[in-house]
Amino acid sequence: MSDRTGAAQSRPGPAGEHFVVVFAGFHRPWATWIRHRLESHGHRVSLYRWDPRREVPLESALEDLLLASGRLLLVLSDWFFQLGPRRDGEWSEALRGVVAANAERFAAVSLTNRALLPATAVLEPADLYGIGSQEAERRLLARLGLPPGPPRRGIPAGPGSRYPGDPPAVWGEVPRRDPRFTGRDDLLNELQRQLTDAEQGTAVCALLGMSGIGKTQLAAEYAHRFSSDYDVIWWVNSDMRGTQRERLGELAAELGLTSGSEPGERIRAVREALRRGEPYGRWLLIFDGWDDIDGARELLPEGPGHVLITSRNRSWTTQGATPLEVPGFQRHESTGYLMRRAPRITAEEAAEVATELGDIPLALVQAAAWLGESDMAVADYLRMVRDGELSGLADQGDFDGVPRSSLTSWSILINRLRETQPHAVELLTLCTSFAPGRIPIGLVRHLPPAELPESLGWLAAELPSWTRALDTLVNYSVFTRDTRGTIPGEPGPEQESVRMHRLVHDIVARLTSPQERQAHQRIVRRMLAAADPGNPQDTRLWPRYAELLPHLEPSGALGSHDERVQETVLNCLHYCHRSGEFRTGIELAEQVRARWTELFPPEHPRMLDLTVRQGNILRAYGVFRAAYELDRELLERLRACAPAAPRPGTGTALMTATSCLAADQRYLGQYTEALQLQREVLNTARELLGPDDYFTLNAQHNLGVGLRLLGRYAEAYDTDLEALRKRESLLRTRHAATLVSGISCARDLRLMGRYRDALARQELGMRLHLQVLGPQHPQTLRAHHNLVLCERRAGGFQDVGAAMASLLEQMEQVHGRGHYATLGLVVDHGNHAREHGDLGHARDLIAEGEAGFRALLGPAHPVTTGMLTNTGLVLQAAGERAEALTMFEAAYAGLSATLGPEHPWVLGCALNTAAGRNFNGRLDAALDLSRDTLHRSRHALGEDHPLTLSCEVALAADLRALREHEEASKVERDALQRLTRTLGAQHPHALSARQRTRPYWDFEPYLG
């Protein structure tokens, strides 16, 4: 299907070129952004959503595009080449034919990091993947042959104007976008029209339809596809009223509203803010699965935004909602989905399957999965469906201040309940094996009845008994309900949570016999293990791990012999590491080690796993020597115990322990040794686990860190970029590990001197970190730190100092002032302050950083040694030139001895040392060092690296000081030309060189 979206979607403007943006519906945000930017430069733009039917020859469909006036800009992606769907050969033939013959009419942009069909070379697509908005606009204009520069006219921000890589300011648990979402373009456009055309305050649309028809998927796709139209998108699971209200009330904090903790109060604050459109007027609320409409008017907001509801209840019209029926797929949507998911089947077979299943999306999803994963013939599959063969798929003291009468009343209540509601008492006493506070009691329903004692089988098997017991305890105020679901999409009793006051918890525990308590602890341990999602690296699952963590110790899980429970304990430790809960993780690891030492020998695999996680947390917290001793002892023990003929798993254990020791060595400044060990780890991982295993990708990432620490930036970038691409493919773009790789690539680019590229990548990465992990997560702070460094190196940013000061406050709140991450920013802030003339502040910050790293790492560590050159720069700026030179020489000699002559840190120290010699009248020594430094820098970094060019400028200065004017002029001229070409004429480096300001190099502490 092909159509012009809206009323041709062409806007009048001043005279300029006319462009037709051709896109798959999946990428509407990119098309609308491209239109907005081109129109701001004075051009006319039409949007053309293109999805030619499969039966129309592709060459004919492309020729039809040529009937439009103006140049055609194709928005290419993996999805674009799945339209139809069509075979690669058909696409290649059409590109080599129609497109090649009309190359002057066609242009393209690419939104993927994967290789496109070779024939797309004729389109010369501009790569817009993984970069920021300014760079994307520059590349877009360059591809179209349009002049760069500021827009010719201002176009107000509005629907479609936000850069697609920029998330809305508030994005609330919208389901992950389905990469196989098919069709529904007309329905999505009609939904947008109804919401957009509705009068202000009445823009409520209800998606209605039977179960399995795809209402939730449609709402999620709308949120993603039209995300650039909104500043707030908030998803509310609404199948349970309590969950719905709690979730809606959580928006108050996201909007920065001051309100109490009671849900009703927060909801009122939210509704009032939405009504006023403050702080955001463009908002979208999605209530998913809202079937019980009683009291809806108390929740539905009014105002300038939009409300989208999915429901099976057709009475929503009585609440002022506009209904929109969600039908089954159209036949071409059904066949397209089936053929994309199961490429081996023909169009005729896909149509037969779609007919049999009535074009119902949920049924088609099952069919497509079956046919895509098996080699069963379609005829055999249909026969099984028709024959029904697949239908099965479908009195104690120590209570300070508590009156005895109160304790007696509790005893009377519980004894009465034992007689009248024994199930309620069993449920109550079970809760004492959890920690007090919020208790996710519904987790017991994850257990099969067979894993429960016979007397407690009803907990999982008898829902009416469960409900009566829980209601009884709530009615007697023993519990209060907490119905917030931690994992979206898991409503029901399994998500039931209660709150139990610490005093009540203590009283009931003391009234529980030891035998009962031991039995209940075993049950709770099994519950925790059953509820473990098994993937603590997935940020979406962190709420579940945060929920499990408090209950490990009271349930006895830390000393359990059950392997599943032990695995859950380890996963919770891993969660502490990944989520930045380092203090909690250190305490938990010490508790686990105290118990496991009594259970296992030191070389047991469980002790290995514990050591790995404990070491990771210690390193992340900055306790490097303790981590090193822990890992070294384990590795030595494993090597000593390794048999001549290794048993299965032995190699993996040694590999893991080696990896941990390599990490410790990197932090301790043993860079060469660490790199050698890391290469062994990566080679072993590829051999034992394969190139795409998660551990292997971590090993590859760590190799990049090791290369970077040794100053081999280009090698590090190649390594990191490969790891990034694999993580994007095998994990997801928004996975925390993928985001780490993004930081690494941006850091590599910056260290390679590619400042603009580094900034473009880190800008996008920062936005993703804010959305995925939140602003205070340690990884987000790391990304922010790299961003301000990119801005500083790129030049032209006036507020870098203010950004550093603000970030430093956040760092201190999260890590503390003495953490290595905070100290690194302290130093960078000090260097910036010195550079901008605030010498007193700079002196304080640099002194703090030097003292902090010396205490943390010792005096001989490369980072501690490198800090001397920063101290020298402060002294030199203060006019204390002799003292400064002493610092420069010490840093240069110390790093040369440990890192070698061509490490960039050594070259930077040499640059400063030459300047110090010059300023102290040692002109010949300065010239000799400058010549040698330039030679080494060209060899190590290349002729156009900013540090190399600084060395060249410095050489010219030393030549002039010795009256070698002819050579000085030649060297200076070459340096200026290269600086202008590489960084731009207005870059601070180029401006300083033209003013003959002596270049310097400040040291950025980096531990990996």
Side-chain angles (χ1 to χ4, degrees), residues 190-208 222 230 271 274 283-287 290 293 296-297 299-311 313 315-324:
E190 174 62 18
L191 175 57
Q192 188 212 23
R193 186 193 66 78
Q194 288 196 12
L195 290 172
T196 303
D197 293 349
E199 296 181 8
Q200 181 172 324
T202 60
V204 181
C205 186
L207 296 174
L208 306 176
Y222 180 86
Y230 300 98
R271 295 182 72 216
L274 297 178
W283 48 262
L284 170 67
L285 263 60
I286 302 174
F287 294 90
W290 196 353
I293 67 175
R297 293 189 182 276
L299 297 180
L300 282 175
E302 296 181 349
H306 299 159
V307 176
L308 179 57
I309 298 165
T310 72
S311 182
N313 191 330
S315 301
W316 272 106
T317 52
T318 64
Q319 304 296 321
T322 301
L324 184 60

Side-chain angles (χ1 to χ4, degrees), residues 102 237 272 283 363 458 486 631 634 642 763 805 884 888 900-901 913 971 1006:
N102 299 273
N237 290 311
E272 177 62 19
W283 48 262
W458 65 272
T486 58
D631 293 330
L634 177 63
E763 284 178 330
F888 294 149
T913 302
V971 171
Y1006 175 67

Side-chain angles (χ1 to χ4, degrees), residues 616 619 624 628 658-679 681 698-699 701-710 857 861-863 905 1006-1008:
N616 286 338
R619 278 191 299 275
F624 306 129
Y628 175 80
T658 304
S659 178
C660 292
L661 189 63
D664 299 326
Q665 289 176 328
R666 286 193 294 270
Y667 280 104
L668 292 174
Q670 302 168 15
Y671 301 145
T672 303
E673 301 90 335
L675 185 65
Q676 180 179 348
L677 284 184
Q678 193 61 48
R679 288 196 187 279
V681 171
N698 275 346
H701 168 80
N702 290 334
L703 181 64
V705 175
L707 290 166
R708 191 181 310 120
L709 285 166
L710 283 169
L857 304 173
H861 193 284
V863 167
W905 294 359
Y1006 175 67
L1007 295 180

Side-chain angles (χ1 to χ4, degrees), residues 201-242:
T202 60
V204 181
C205 186
L207 296 174
L208 306 176
M210 56 180 271
S211 296
I213 207 67
K215 302 183 296 297
T216 296
Q217 290 76 15
L218 187 65
E221 176 61 23
Y222 180 86
H224 287 282
R225 186 171 297 194
F226 294 92
S227 61
S228 57
D229 293 0
Y230 300 98
D231 297 314
V232 176
I233 300 180
W234 195 253
W235 186 279
V236 183
N237 290 311
S238 301
D239 40 17
M240 295 181 64
R241 177 174 173 81

Side-chain angles (χ1 to χ4, degrees), residues 745-761:
C745 288
R747 187 187 298 275
D748 294 333
L749 288 168
R750 174 170 60 80
L751 294 173
M752 292 164 66
R754 295 170 55 181
Y755 299 146
R756 189 168 60 186
D757 291 340
L759 179 60
R761 179 177 287 278

